[in-house]
Amino acid sequence: MAYKTRARFVADDIRHRILNGEFPGGTQLRQDALAADYDVSRIPVREALLTLEAEGLVEFYPHRGAFTTELSVAKIRELFDLRVLLEGHLLRQAIPRMTEAALHKAEHILQEYDAALDSGSQIDNWSDYNFAFHEALYHPADLPEAMNLVSQLNTKSDRYIRMQLLYTQAIEKAEREHHDLLELSRQGEVDAACQLLERHILEACEGIVAVLEGRVQASQTPDTAQL
Amino acid sequence: MAYKTRARFVADDIRHRILNGEFPGGTQLRQDALAADYDVSRIPVREALLTLEAEGLVEFYPHRGAFTTELSVAKIRELFDLRVLLEGHLLRQAIPRMTEAALHKAEHILQEYDAALDSGSQIDNWSDYNFAFHEALYHPADLPEAMNLVSQLNTKSDRYIRMQLLYTQAIEKAEREHHDLLELSRQGEVDAACQLLERHILEACEGIVAVLEGRVQASQTPDTAQL
DNA sequence: GTTTTGAAGATTGTATAAAATATAAAAAGA
DNA sequence: TCTTTTTATATTTTATACAATCTTCAAAAC
């Protein structure tokens, strides 16, 4: 796992730029421009774009190139509904199997969170932290395929989560809920924990939708479509 | 959608060969050999393999190449559990929104099934038919992301489903259940339909596991590992 | 006898360059 | 003037060639 091929490096960086909003939905990603950016040939760039296509961040049109995907409100709602379903399944399986070590690990991640929060907002790393916590929580379930699907759903919705964080103070709320979630898990309160998780996810979803619809209303004048 | 790039063509064909069992789990897929096979350069082959990696049929190891993935019994069980979860969700959303047209379409697919069954086993097309029926059933739910996940789970488990069909008479059983499923959906019996769906999926899973464990017992002598 | 080292061979990963295709603009015809 | 065809340009897609990495196997050291 030490070695990182150029294609993988480029993929990681382009993903980062997409999630940060540098490439909004619908922008074309020109292969030679990116190749020049990273000072590599177009082939690793192409492979990177294919990887991102698999993740749902990018879509290829034959002989026309790669474009970043656009998510509608309906699709965001669907993604978060699926998260509720899958993460609920994972948490339900995980709680009875949680060891002390697993609980400590999740708690450790939470504390790092808190520390990072005190020293500035750090939106950039927030997504990774967030996913790390959820992953730690679900890890005892030992369901790698389900985790994989959850991870996919996360990458698809990540950029909108970031957008929400820019406009609202959702981090503190999420952070409090994470603490509660861990506490309920520790006590083995499966149903209560799953209910909280469901609220946790769905309220985040509504926050994003609110921002999105607000944004649409605010900037309905220019730069609507690029394709 | 008419045009098919070479990379896509190669990907479709290699997928077919993997699912048919020509490349069992763990075999290395050499790029130049495949390139010679299809009379193209290695680059479209490489892109095809990357696509298949995204689908979970193949795994890349840096500077070592691509290998077909191996599924354990535990992983198969996990995949089918996820199918129960997601397809149940889909069916539950779909039934209340089913129009006459949607029901007819599903029924039409079923009848084609039956016709194909009478004129010979046709295992090769069975997977496509099977997925087409389930898709038609879930289509009224209008949840493309969920369908996408279900499709992923299907491609991953497909080759083992085919294997099961070779050894057992599961097609007829599945066909009967499909008819019942459609009937319950038509009558709006949401809970009963979902319960039947769950049984339908889980029993198929157990059938596969039985074959797998039987096969392992039968051929424990030669050609165990290639890597 | 076991382990380690190193060179040869094979295979993947990347760069450069040519071919194929789509988009856009210009010219010809109605 | 509008439509259709042609041509030109830009971009993607594929082929060829080269570089980097891994595997293998034999020889040497312990």
Side-chain angles (χ1 to χ4, degrees):
Chain A
M1 260 299 167
Y3 188 82
K4 219 179 193 180
T5 191
R6 299 194 193 191
R8 190 169 287 273
F9 176 83
V10 172
D12 289 345
D13 199 75
I14 295 179
R15 183 189 304 109
H16 196 75
R17 292 169 79 177
I18 292 176
L19 296 184
N20 271 353
E22 186 175 341
F23 302 130
T27 47
Q28 180 168 12
L29 300 176
R30 288 218 178 69
Q31 301 179 353
D32 50 2
L34 290 168
D37 250 27
Y38 294 106
D39 198 32
V40 298
S41 98
R42 287 212 310 280
I43 288 178
V45 170
R46 210 178 149 63
E47 293 192 3
L49 292 175
L50 280 168
T51 303
L52 297 176
E53 182 186 34
E55 298 175 5
L57 295 177
V58 153
E59 196 163 357
F60 267 84
Y61 298 91
H63 290 281
R64 289 191 45 211
F67 297 78
T68 54
T69 53
E70 188 88 71
L71 284 190
S72 65
V73 169
K75 212 152 233 178
I76 289 175
R77 284 229 167 81
E78 189 187 348
L79 289 176
F80 278 76
D81 281 350
L82 288 172
R83 281 189 55 196
V84 167
L85 201 65
L86 291 172
E87 299 196 31
H89 179 69
L90 278 165
L91 185 59
R92 198 169 288 276
Q93 306 291 320
I95 288 181
R97 297 158 204 233
M98 280 185 188
T99 62
E100 267 306 312
L103 286 164
H104 267 88
K105 184 164 183 187
E107 188 157 19
H108 182 68
I109 293 172
L110 263 186
Q111 285 167 355
E112 282 194 349
Y113 246 49
D114 291 338
L117 267 179
D118 287 342
S119 69
S121 55
Q122 301 282 26
I123 289 179
D124 237 40
N125 305 339
W126 197 83
S127 283
D128 293 336
Y129 271 124
N130 184 48
F131 187 69
F133 172 69
H134 282 250
E135 188 174 36
L137 210 57
Y138 307 146
H139 186 264
D142 191 30
L143 298 172
E145 292 294 331
M147 278 303 306
N148 178 32
L149 296 186
V150 168
S151 167
Q152 281 183 45
L153 296 174
N154 264 282
T155 46
K156 281 196 187 180
S157 46
D158 240 18
R159 79 182 113 161
Y160 293 93
I161 295 177
R162 283 163 194 252
M163 193 190 63
Q164 181 204 13
L165 297 178
L166 276 175
Y167 288 87
T168 65
Q169 290 300 17
I171 293 184
E172 284 79 2
K173 178 171 177 296
E175 192 63 356
R176 265 181 278 121
E177 290 170 349
H178 281 177
H179 275 102
D180 296 345
L181 213 48
L182 181 59
E183 195 48 43
L184 287 172
S185 299
R186 174 171 281 130
Q187 292 167 2
E189 300 271 3
V190 178
D191 289 332
C194 288
Q195 277 172 29
L196 174 59
L197 179 65
E198 181 171 338
R199 273 218 320 278
H200 175 65
I201 293 172
L202 290 182
E203 287 176 8
C205 176
E206 289 312 315
I208 290 172
V209 170
V211 172
L212 257 183
E213 289 179 337
R215 191 179 68 91
V216 169
Q217 225 174 16
S219 69
Q220 87 272 60
T221 26
D223 61 282
T224 44
Q226 282 153 304
L227 173 63
Chain B
M1 260 300 168
Y3 188 81
K4 221 179 193 180
T5 191
R6 298 192 193 190
R8 189 168 288 274
F9 175 82
V10 172
D12 289 345
D13 199 75
I14 295 179
R15 182 189 304 109
H16 196 75
R17 291 169 80 177
I18 293 176
L19 297 183
N20 271 354
E22 185 174 343
F23 301 130
T27 46
Q28 180 169 14
L29 299 175
R30 290 219 177 69
Q31 300 179 354
D32 49 1
L34 290 169
D37 250 27
Y38 295 105
D39 197 33
V40 298
S41 97
R42 279 204 345 256
I43 289 179
V45 170
R46 213 180 146 63
E47 294 192 1
L49 292 176
L50 281 169
T51 302
L52 296 176
E53 181 186 34
E55 296 174 7
L57 295 177
V58 153
E59 197 163 356
F60 267 84
Y61 298 91
H63 292 281
R64 290 193 43 212
F67 298 78
T68 54
T69 53
E70 187 88 70
L71 284 189
S72 65
V73 169
K75 212 153 235 177
I76 288 175
R77 283 229 169 80
E78 188 186 348
L79 289 176
F80 279 76
D81 280 351
L82 289 172
R83 280 189 56 194
V84 166
L85 201 65
L86 291 171
E87 299 196 30
H89 179 70
L90 278 165
L91 185 59
R92 199 169 285 278
Q93 305 290 319
I95 289 181
R97 296 157 205 235
M98 281 183 186
T99 61
E100 266 307 312
L103 286 165
H104 266 89
K105 184 164 183 186
E107 189 156 17
H108 182 67
I109 293 173
L110 263 187
Q111 286 168 355
E112 282 195 349
Y113 247 48
D114 291 338
L117 266 179
D118 288 341
S119 69
S121 55
Q122 300 281 22
I123 289 179
D124 237 41
N125 306 337
W126 197 83
S127 282
D128 294 335
Y129 271 124
N130 184 47
F131 188 70
F133 173 70
H134 281 250
E135 187 175 37
L137 211 56
Y138 308 146
H139 185 264
D142 191 27
L143 298 173
E145 291 294 331
M147 278 304 306
N148 179 32
L149 295 187
V150 168
S151 167
Q152 282 183 45
L153 296 174
N154 264 282
T155 46
K156 281 195 187 180
S157 46
D158 240 18
R159 81 183 111 159
Y160 293 92
I161 295 177
R162 283 163 195 251
M163 194 190 61
Q164 180 205 13
L165 297 179
L166 276 175
Y167 288 86
T168 66
Q169 290 299 19
I171 293 184
E172 284 77 3
K173 176 171 178 294
E175 192 63 356
R176 268 181 276 122
E177 290 170 349
H178 281 176
H179 275 103
D180 295 345
L181 213 48
L182 181 59
E183 194 49 42
L184 286 172
S185 299
R186 173 171 282 131
Q187 293 166 2
E189 300 272 4
V190 178
D191 289 332
C194 287
Q195 276 172 30
L196 174 58
L197 179 65
E198 182 171 337
R199 273 217 321 278
H200 175 64
I201 294 172
L202 290 183
E203 287 177 8
C205 177
E206 289 312 316
I208 289 172
V209 170
V211 172
L212 257 184
E213 290 178 339
R215 191 180 67 92
V216 168
Q217 222 174 16
S219 69
Q220 87 273 56
T221 25
D223 61 282
T224 43
Q226 284 155 303
L227 173 63

